[in-house]
Amino acid sequence: MASLGLSEREQAGCRQLLELLETEELLALTDTVTNRLVHPEGRQEAIHAIVVYSRSVEELLKRKKVYREIIFKYLATQGIAVSPSCEKHVLIDHVKQYWSGHLTTHASASGERKTQAESHEDSQKSQQDDIHNLGEEFCQWFFELLNSQHPLGVKSEETWGPQHFWDDAKMKFSYNTLEKNMEEYVGAEMVSLRLLSLVKEEYLLFNPNLHASGLKCAMSPHGLVLVAVAGTVHRGNSCLGIFEQIFGLISCPIRENTWKIKVMSLKIVGQNALEPGMQIEKPSIKYESNQLQELYDGKELIVFEPQKF
């Protein structure tokens, strides 16, 4: 009969993962795991009780209070590349494989084992592809929905509003026509309304360039997905200029495959303010994907400074 409880490696991993939970969540999880028989006085006592009284890794990670987002963040901090759209049971399987030391072992077509370096390279490429696909899908959804709010736009079945943003969302809006202007907005309602007014009241339409040069995506170690997109801005039959927009997206822990906007930077440059030699037909992002991660300081989400075109 297999012995119950966690191995030393599993205990160490669980402690690291549990550190990502808020204190209130840890105490609630302790009540669940110990059936309210243990009353810890702090975080470390709570983590110790959870680890000691958990009979298996799977039992612990399947708890409702151990959110999918927490497991995803843990894997990211360990340098384990997984798709942002993975369901919770898949993430749990990755954790179990990682703690057992078998995560990077994959058989090649010839039946030989790949080296860890090759597996890591393949995993990194797969993750980047997944993030890029997520960014492209998000931009298609976002701009179709935003443009549908135009008085002459094709109406969308989905509703525009603050529900697509986190409550403390931030936006920095820079526009350069005859002179430079900068606006800042805080809160889902304010950010949502300002974007809506650009389309509904100022009659702008955004045409993103979702090809290679116009879309760059990256993910921070904490699971924040950064999406940078460039495109052209139109009013009626006129092309007014170009835009660059950078989104910081965070997944919703209680709704699978749902990402909401945390931070945003939008810069619009009118044709008369474009730098010499700039081709308006091919707006592009000057950032490389790895440079996007520098817009996240590792401790808190920052509002991005717009980059020169």
Side-chain angles (χ1 to χ4, degrees), residues 73-204:
K73 285 183 178 179
Y74 169 76
L75 289 169
T77 60
Q78 299 302 306
I80 306 300
V82 293
S83 168
S85 61
C86 279
E87 295 183 2
K88 185 177 178 180
H89 70 90
V90 178
L91 297 178
I92 292 174
D93 189 54
H94 276 76
V95 171
K96 290 169 63 179
Q97 290 184 56
Y98 175 52
W99 289 345
S100 65
H102 300 305
L103 182 64
T104 57
T105 302
H106 299 285
S108 66
S110 63
E112 298 178 352
R113 300 286 184 180
K114 289 187 179 181
T115 66
Q116 287 192 2
E118 289 174 328
S119 296
H120 180 69
E121 183 179 341
D122 290 346
S123 182
Q124 291 282 41
K125 185 179 185 301
S126 175
Q127 182 195 38
Q128 187 56 44
D129 288 343
D130 287 338
I131 294 171
H132 187 87
N133 291 337
L134 170 65
E136 184 175 357
E137 184 179 341
F138 169 80
C139 286
Q140 288 175 339
W141 166 83
F142 177 85
F143 289 106
E144 284 180 9
L145 180 58
L146 181 59
N147 287 335
S148 73
Q149 307 307 304
H150 190 283
L152 300 178
V154 178
K155 301 307 174 187
S156 171
E157 295 181 2
E158 195 164 0
T159 304
W160 175 268
Q163 68 272 18
H164 302 304
F165 303 81
W166 291 100
D167 288 344
D168 58 348
K170 296 180 181 180
M171 179 175 79
K172 184 169 287 188
F173 175 33
S174 166
Y175 54 100
N176 186 359
T177 50
L178 297 176
E179 59 182 24
K180 293 183 179 180
N181 298 275
M182 176 70 75
E183 302 173 5
E184 293 187 31
Y185 299 89
V186 178
E189 190 74 32
M190 294 299 294
V191 174
S192 171
L193 287 174
R194 184 63 184 103
L195 288 168
L196 178 63
S197 69
L198 291 175
V199 173
K200 195 170 184 177
E201 297 173 13
E202 300 180 39
Y203 305 110
L204 300 182

Side-chain angles (χ1 to χ4, degrees), residues 9-38:
R9 177 68 185 90
E10 290 170 342
Q11 288 183 31
C14 283
R15 289 191 180 95
Q16 289 179 305
L17 187 147
L18 292 171
E19 284 286 1
L20 298 174
L21 272 68
E22 299 291 339
T23 301
E24 189 175 313
E25 294 169 337
L26 279 174
L27 296 176
L29 183 58
T30 305
D31 286 344
T32 302
V33 172
T34 68
N35 200 23
R36 299 182 183 274
L37 296 177
V38 175

